[in-house]
Amino acid sequence: MKLQTILIATAFLGSSWGPGRPGENEKPNIILIMADDMGYGDLGCYGQKMIQTPNIDALAKGGLRFTTYYAGNTVCAPSREALLTGMHTGHTSIRGNFLTDEKEDPAMPSEKVTVAELLKGAGYHTALIGKWGLGGEGHSPETQGFDYSYGYLDQIQAHNYFPPFLYENGKKVMLDQNADGKKGAYSHHLFVDKTLRFLESSAKEPFFLYLPYTIPHGEHVIPDNSAYAGKDWPEQFKNYAAMITQLDSDIGRIMQMLKEKGLDKNTLILFTSDNGANPGFAKFFRSNGVFRGNKTNLYEGGIREPLIAYWPGKIKAGQVTGHVAAGWDVLPTICQAAGIKAPAGIDGVSFYPGLLGTGKQVIHPYLYWEYYTYNYNWNKPDATMPRNWLDSRALRFDHWKAVVKSTPTDLAGKIELYDLAKDSTETTDLAATHPEVVKRVKELMQSATKANAPYFPYKH
């Protein structure tokens, strides 16, 4: 059987092993790329008019574009755990961004099984380049199935694009170019260099390459925003646009390298993002498309994301699908592509049959999210609010979408109900006129969550 290579776009890359060549493996190579804080409407193929993304648009034109794909959560950390474990955030350990007493991300428990561990057990070399965000030193990607990693461990550190150090294989690597506040090495450029170096090398073993790139997450800085220098925009917006265009350009470089190595015809590319864009960009660029909401809430603008699948000769070009999928579906999809079984009891459903147009595509009975907000001022002398609390929950089944906004004094909250088939912008609350649907929402929400998240809420 001819080697099939799978590239799933999200934002992680890099490894000391290189790609297998067609014919050398029975198993496909897999690359997963995820952007950071990029909204549904930030790409030309999703309606963006102000930001140029020709390479990503070409992938959409040559493959399959999802219009109803959802991120695992509305902020970074829980979205990443959902992606890697195949569990929605009623079952993940991390259900919001949080800082421990050590001022770092809480670690994903070691007993959680990641897609990297599954693939490694099946003979894959596994690698991550970009932002981990699921634990600090001692809890790096190597503890969760990655043979190689390069990038940030902690989310807060990842706000600095000229960091004094990064981590390689869990060990701190000082960046002399950025010592004493200098800005000599832009982290994203380092990630892409590692990516291309990976693709330049070769090996007989199949690989899994996970790329959680950090752009266009803030701080919104980039060495060169000349592509938008002539625009009469605030500097922050020029930088944001330039960051997305930089990502697009680098995906073009990756595609070129795949062609040079003879891998382009055997590569599946999936491109997505971890959550919606911030409010300012949503307003200025319509970064979240026509949808209500943004990062940090569970309306469509905070969680509906682009997903593009490209695989020449396998996926028919020019397709658009309304199949409802979510971040926790990525693990079983990758497992099916690699020819291995996904773990029993996960929440994810493989969308692999829909990519190839063969076999039966299973439909989710419902999708569920919960999001805990973190109070960065919890330890101030005059603080009255808790360290974190259940901010919101959301549930989608069929064409219905429910959102529940909570407060520390009212965790139950009030159910809002929207008919996405008629009201994709979530403007008309139908809860009062559809009590039978509200009753069903309550039943599903109660059964969808499990109290296995020690930091959410934080009661110590």
Side-chain angles (χ1 to χ4, degrees):
M1 179 179 177
K2 200 172 183 181
L3 168 67
Q4 307 300 335
T5 302
I6 299 180
L7 175 68
I8 298 183
T10 335
F12 297 86
L13 249 70
S15 166
S16 57
W17 296 281
R21 296 179 181 278
E24 290 184 351
N25 308 310
E26 293 182 358
K27 298 178 180 179
N29 296 321
I30 302 171
I31 304 177
L32 173 62
I33 307 174
M34 182 168 64
D36 198 337
D37 284 12
M38 190 194 73
Y40 181 94
D42 274 328
L43 302 174
C45 53
Y46 282 87
Q48 178 57 233
K49 304 298 184 185
M50 303 166 72
I51 303 172
Q52 303 303 309
T53 56
N55 293 292
I56 299 173
D57 296 345
L59 295 181
K61 185 177 181 180
L64 175 65
R65 181 170 64 87
F66 286 70
T67 60
T68 320
Y69 170 84
Y70 292 94
N73 203 264
T74 188
V75 293
C76 301
S79 188
R80 290 158 199 273
E81 182 178 344
L83 186 83
L84 289 174
T85 64
M87 306 297 283
H88 65 55
T89 44
H91 295 146
T92 56
S93 294
I94 298 173
R95 304 185 186 185
N97 289 344
F98 185 84
L99 290 180
T100 66
D101 292 338
E102 290 73 35
K103 304 296 184 184
E104 63 182 24
D105 303 321
M108 182 170 61
S110 59
E111 63 267 22
K112 295 286 183 176
V113 177
T114 69
V115 65
E117 290 172 297
L118 295 168
L119 292 173
K120 184 174 181 176
Y124 277 75
H125 285 304
T126 58
L128 177 156
I129 297 179
K131 183 172 80 173
W132 171 236
L134 294 172
E137 292 186 18
H139 305 282
S140 60
E142 290 67 37
T143 67
Q144 299 281 181
F146 288 96
D147 295 309
Y148 176 85
S149 69
Y150 182 82
Y152 301 100
L153 296 184
D154 184 77
Q155 294 185 82
I156 300 300
Q157 182 208 359
H159 292 180
N160 181 3
Y161 281 89
F162 298 95
F165 59 86
L166 290 170
Y167 286 89
E168 189 165 30
N169 296 331
K171 297 180 180 179
K172 187 180 291 186
V173 177
M174 304 307 296
L175 301 177
D176 294 339
Q177 310 97 306
N178 296 339
D180 301 320
K182 295 194 295 289
K183 296 183 177 181
Y186 190 63
S187 60
H188 175 76
H189 293 337
L190 298 177
F191 297 157
V192 175
D193 287 346
K194 288 286 186 179
T195 299
L196 296 178
R197 210 173 306 168
F198 175 90
L199 295 174
E200 285 174 345
S201 59
S202 62
K204 294 182 179 180
E205 299 84 357
F207 68 83
F208 170 54
L209 193 55
Y210 177 35
L211 301 174
Y213 288 152
T214 49
I215 55 177
H217 191 289
E219 299 176 358
H220 299 103
V221 296
I222 188 168
D224 180 11
N225 70 3
S226 58
Y228 300 94
K231 299 293 185 181
D232 185 21
W233 302 346
E235 196 71 10
Q236 183 185 43
F237 295 104
K238 292 180 183 179
N239 289 346
Y240 182 81
M243 292 169 91
I244 293 174
T245 297
Q246 179 69 63
L247 175 62
D248 180 83
S249 175
D250 292 327
I251 288 175
R253 295 171 67 193
I254 291 169
M255 293 304 299
Q256 181 60 39
M257 181 63 71
L258 291 172
K259 290 180 181 179
E260 292 176 4
K261 303 302 293 185
L263 297 170
D264 56 308
K265 295 295 190 297
N266 304 292
T267 300
L268 166 66
I269 302 176
L270 301 178
F271 180 87
T272 189
S273 178
D274 62 346
N275 50 249
N278 287 305
F281 304 119
K283 182 177 180 180
F284 190 85
F285 292 114
R286 299 193 76 180
S287 289
N288 296 326
V290 300
F291 302 115
R292 174 184 180 182
N294 44 258
K295 178 181 179 179
T296 73
N297 64 55
L298 292 175
Y299 295 108
E300 295 288 284
I303 52 177
R304 194 183 291 209
E305 288 299 317
L307 176 63
I308 298 166
Y310 175 84
W311 195 353
K314 294 292 183 178
I315 296 176
K316 184 179 178 181
Q319 294 186 89
V320 178
T321 178
H323 172 67
V324 179
W328 49 93
D329 295 337
V330 169
L331 179 148
T333 301
I334 289 177
C335 285
Q336 187 170 358
I340 61 177
K341 289 185 178 181
I346 63 172
D347 299 308
V349 170
S350 173
F351 51 77
Y352 186 78
L355 298 182
L356 303 187
T358 59
K360 181 180 180 181
Q361 177 61 65
V362 177
I363 306 299
H364 277 285
Y366 66 87
L367 301 177
Y368 176 77
W369 300 262
E370 62 186 51
Y371 163 59
Y372 283 77
T373 193
Y374 183 73
N375 177 13
Y376 287 90
N377 296 314
W378 67 272
N379 59 349
K380 298 293 178 63
D382 58 346
T384 59
M385 302 289 275
R387 191 164 179 175
N388 72 355
W389 63 88
L390 179 60
D391 178 275
S392 51
R393 290 167 288 159
L395 185 138
R396 173 171 178 160
F397 70 100
D398 196 9
H399 57 93
W400 295 107
K401 167 82 176 292
V403 179
V404 182
K405 181 70 175 175
S406 307
T407 68
T409 57
D410 180 19
L411 292 179
K414 176 181 176 294
I415 293 178
E416 303 169 17
L417 184 67
Y418 303 98
D419 182 350
L420 294 181
K422 300 176 182 178
D423 180 24
S424 64
T425 56
E426 298 170 295
T427 57
T428 304
D429 181 1
L430 300 175
T433 56
H434 289 78
E436 74 288 354
V437 180
V438 170
K439 180 182 178 182
R440 181 62 176 150
V441 166
K442 289 179 179 179
E443 293 170 349
L444 289 172
M445 283 191 169
Q446 185 174 7
S447 65
T449 186
K450 184 178 180 181
N452 66 344
Y455 288 99
F456 306 96
Y458 190 72
K459 298 178 179 179
H460 300 285

